[in-house]
């Protein structure tokens, strides 16, 4: 067992050394509760980033719910489970979406990660190293709320976008998510970049007010510093886009919401603070996860 773990560590080190210059930027999009537009935000940001020339893949970690599939109007043939257990190659579990973005369905495989054997971990990591070379940005669409699976992906990701709406329950549930995160033994606020997106607001002023509420209590009681990415206005075109099974920036590119998403994209790409020089890569994110579960040494 020790020899096997040693070989796995050597393999991981070799692959990381080989892929240091091609690691993807990993961004988790999450929310304290469902129904706040988290998946809509993930998909539209992915498309907007792709239109800026970035190679983007969306990893749907909200297993059991096919929200990304519904939004894009596509049904993948395979998911993460097929890669892990059936040996499907990476290119077969990536489904191409609009504007050339990639899409990977986590399926129920996400819930099985902590119990994988060493050979399955080795296979998964080696395939994720390839993924990091194929894409510039990986967007993880987490589940909603503070379930164990959601918190694992929030913990694993160096960058987190927290989607909040003006509803009081959304604000309080977002704070609850941050509180659970802060209590994690291996949480390090110094290496976690959490930015708030205020969704479905009437104005930028309302978005800033929402951010200030969450930021103030997080700083005071959780010693957690948040930053503000921006807001997306309430827009009647958003529900029409969902009916058409098209992201709003594709269906209504001149709408208020689409323009707001473009501004969020520009902020994501536009400063050294929001674009870390050292990109973690999805392989390293999963390696850290398996280490935390003591699946590898």
């Amino acid at each position: 067992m020790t020899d096997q773990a040693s070989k796995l560590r050597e393999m991981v080190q070799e692959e990381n050394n080989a892929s240091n210059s091609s690691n993807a930027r990993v961004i988790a999009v999450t929310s304290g509760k469902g129904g706040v537009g988290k998946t809509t935000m993930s998909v539209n940001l992915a498309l907007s980033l792709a239109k800026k020339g970035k190679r983007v893949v969306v990893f749907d970690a909200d297993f059991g719910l096919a929200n990304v599939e519904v939004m894009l109007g596509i049904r993948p043939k395979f998911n993460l489970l097929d890669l892990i257990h059936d040996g499907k190659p990476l290119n077969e579990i990536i489904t191409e979406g609009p504007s050339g973005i990639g899409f990977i369905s986590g399926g129920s495989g996400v819930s099985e990660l902590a119990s994988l054997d060493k050979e399955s971990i080795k296979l998964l990591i080696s395939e994720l190293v390839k993924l990091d070379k194929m894409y510039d940005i990986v967007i993880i669409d987490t589940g909603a709320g503070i379930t164990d699976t959601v918190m694992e992906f929030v913990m694993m990701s160096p960058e987190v976008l927290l989607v909040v709406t003006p509803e009081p329950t959304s604000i309080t549930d977002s704070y609850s998510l941050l509180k659970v995160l802060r209590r994690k033994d291996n949480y390090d606020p110094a290496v976690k970049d959490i930015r708030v997106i205020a969704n479905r607001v009437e104005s930028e002023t309302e978005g800033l007010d929402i951010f200030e509420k969450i930021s103030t209590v997080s700083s005071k009681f959780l010693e957690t510093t948040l930053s503000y990415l921006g807001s997306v206005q309430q827009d009647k075109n958003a529900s029409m886009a969902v009916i058409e099974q098209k992201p709003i920036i594709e269906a209504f590119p001149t709408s208020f919401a689409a323009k707001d998403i473009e501004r969020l994209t520009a902020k994501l790409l536009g400063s050294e603070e929001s674009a870390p020089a050292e990109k973690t890569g999805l392989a390293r994110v999963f390696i850290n996860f398996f280490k935390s579960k003591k699946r590898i040494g």
Side-chain angles (χ1 to χ4, degrees), residues 40 70-71 237-248 252:
T40 299
V70 172
M71 273 206 63
N237 292 304
S239 56
M240 294 171 64
V242 172
I243 293 171
E244 293 184 21
Q245 286 190 296
K246 290 183 179 179
I248 193 167
F252 304 99

Side-chain angles (χ1 to χ4, degrees), residues 23-26 132 156 158 278-285 288:
N23 279 345
R25 181 179 175 186
V26 180
D132 286 333
M156 287 159 57
E278 184 178 350
K279 300 180 179 66
T280 305
L282 194 60
R284 171 53 61 188
V285 165
N288 291 339

Side-chain angles (χ1 to χ4, degrees), residues 2 4 24 63 76 80 85 93 114 125 138 151 154-155 160 167 192 194 198 202 206 212 220 236 250 289:
T2 302
Q4 191 176 24
F63 69 94
L80 190 67
H85 294 309
I93 71 162
I125 296 299
V138 179
M151 297 312 300
V154 173
M155 278 292 298
V160 176
E167 297 175 12
K192 182 74 66 177
I194 304 175
E202 294 300 327
E206 184 180 34
E212 289 297 336
K220 182 177 181 180
K236 64 180 181 181
E250 292 271 317
F289 168 77

Side-chain angles (χ1 to χ4, degrees), residues 75-79 82 92 95:
R75 183 176 292 277
K77 291 176 62 177
F78 304 110
N79 59 38
D82 297 300
E92 287 194 31
T95 303

Side-chain angles (χ1 to χ4, degrees), residues 128-201:
L128 292 177
V129 167
K130 297 175 187 176
L131 184 81
D132 286 333
K133 294 179 180 179
M134 295 168 59
Y135 294 97
D136 301 310
I137 299 171
V138 179
I139 291 181
I140 301 176
D141 181 42
T142 76
I146 52 177
T147 65
D148 289 343
T149 302
V150 170
M151 297 312 300
E152 292 291 0
F153 278 101
V154 173
M155 278 292 298
M156 287 159 57
S157 304
E159 295 184 69
V160 176
L161 302 182
L162 178 60
V163 181
V164 189
T165 66
E167 297 175 12
T169 52
S170 175
I171 296 171
T172 55
D173 288 346
S174 294
Y175 177 73
S176 296
L177 182 146
L178 294 169
K179 184 163 62 174
V180 171
L181 181 65
R182 187 68 180 87
R183 289 175 176 172
K184 294 282 186 180
D185 291 337
N186 52 343
Y187 173 69
D188 184 358
V191 296
K192 182 74 66 177
D193 185 5
I194 304 175
R195 276 162 290 177
V196 174
I197 296 176
N199 194 28
R200 301 175 186 161
V201 298

